[in-house]
Amino acid sequence: MSDEFLPPTSKLTATKEIWADQRRGESGEKSERKRRLPPGQHQTQGLPVLDLGMQPVVSQQDWQFTVGGLIGAPVTWDWATFMAQPQTTVTVDIHCVTTWSSYDNEFSGVSFRHLLDLIQPAPNARFVMARSFDGYSTNVPLEWLADHDVLLCHSWNGAPLSREHGGPVRLLVPKLYFWKSAKWLRHLTFMEKDQPGFWEARGYHMRGEPFLEERYG
Ligand SMILES: Nc1nc2c(c(=O)[nH]1)N[C@H]1C(S)=C(S)[C@@H](COP(=O)(O)O)O[C@H]1N2
Ligand SMILES: [Mo]
């Protein structure tokens, strides 16, 4: 094919292509930013401490974690057994229903997927109730717990999780509002039917997805 059959390239065409590229980049970036902050949220630094006003003292030595309900194999972990599991680190944004969001928090611990491999949930298991040492509880759909960024975590930004943030071990479900991330985690019950936890029984949403603003009801 000779050159005369190729579409002409003029200076103007080239410039238009550059503009188009720039606009694409710009709008892409803006919508990316919009997508990162869920509706009704504002950005804050760090993690404000929120709980029922009672922070249980649970030493690593005293900590024991159990899993029950619709599972194939029970799990009981003391601290040493928990720490001997494969370890995962994630960097995630946190969204609290009280409207703060905190970007780029690094958490380390055992992935929920690893736990699922061990306990082998029954085919009819669809929801999980998390229970904590302060009497708190929260319900989470199993499919949301099966994400790669869901952890049973013991560290935040490189340091052991402090007592106020739920140490020694808390659940981390970054894609749902932070009330689903039970601090001072003690037990998980695998269930067929959904049941409300502490806040869910008091008007909070059964699922709590921040981008859909599933805050209450
Ligand atoms: N055990 C327990 N876990 C809990 C709570 C609680 O009261 N008890 N509060 C929840 C709520 S409402 C929020 S916003 C987060 C706050 O976690 P932080 O104090 O580490 O920021 O913990 C969640 N997990
Ligand atoms: Mo919260």
Side-chain angles (χ1 to χ4, degrees):
M1 204 203 298
S2 79
D3 277 358
E4 61 191 299
F5 292 107
L6 291 173
T9 52
S10 68
K11 254 192 176 159
L12 183 61
T13 320
T15 309
K16 276 183 174 164
E17 277 167 7
I18 290 167
W19 288 342
D21 277 352
Q22 282 175 347
R23 272 198 300 275
R24 236 192 326 272
E26 196 180 78
S27 60
E29 222 174 73
K30 274 186 185 146
S31 54
E32 195 61 44
R33 265 202 295 276
K34 264 184 220 147
R35 267 203 301 280
R36 189 169 184 183
L37 190 66
Q41 297 291 110
H42 68 272
Q43 216 189 323
T44 192
Q45 300 301 317
L47 295 176
V49 174
L50 282 160
D51 46 57
L52 303 177
M54 194 271 278
Q55 298 174 345
V57 182
V58 186
S59 67
Q60 294 176 354
Q61 213 175 349
D62 289 344
W63 183 76
Q64 208 192 37
F65 168 73
T66 52
V67 185
L70 302 172
I71 56 173
V75 153
T76 301
W77 281 345
D78 60 13
W79 181 255
T81 315
F82 170 64
M83 292 304 283
Q85 306 301 313
Q87 300 289 312
T88 302
T89 295
V90 298
T91 301
V92 294
D93 297 345
I94 297 299
H95 310 293
C96 175
V97 72
T98 61
T99 74
W100 57 262
S101 290
S102 173
Y103 288 174
D104 294 328
N105 291 271
E106 189 191 274
F107 289 95
S108 302
V110 175
S111 78
F112 203 89
R113 286 188 175 181
H114 173 68
L115 181 72
L116 288 175
D117 285 346
L118 297 181
I119 59 140
Q120 297 170 35
N124 57 335
R126 289 187 51 223
F127 300 92
V128 174
M129 185 70 78
R131 297 185 186 281
S132 301
F133 285 95
D134 62 342
Y136 187 79
S137 58
T138 188
N139 54 313
V140 189
L142 182 51
E143 62 175 308
W144 288 78
L145 291 171
D147 261 345
H148 79 280
D149 57 2
V150 175
L151 302 184
L152 282 62
C153 67
H154 54 69
S155 293
W156 172 53
N157 292 344
L161 209 54
S162 65
R163 175 178 156 207
E164 59 180 7
H165 286 301
V169 179
R170 84 182 293 168
L171 182 63
L172 173 72
V173 193
K175 290 198 186 75
L176 298 179
Y177 283 125
F178 209 26
W179 89 76
K180 298 290 186 179
S181 292
K183 307 200 272 189
W184 312 293
L185 184 65
R186 176 156 97 147
H187 180 81
L188 296 173
T189 309
F190 284 66
M191 316 179 294
E192 180 167 10
K193 296 208 169 71
D194 205 4
Q195 280 178 36
F198 180 88
W199 283 121
E200 294 83 6
R202 290 162 176 80
Y204 281 31
H205 199 278
M206 290 295 268
R207 185 170 67 174
E209 206 282 325
F211 289 88
L212 299 173
E213 283 210 83
E214 293 175 338
R215 297 174 190 274
Y216 311 102

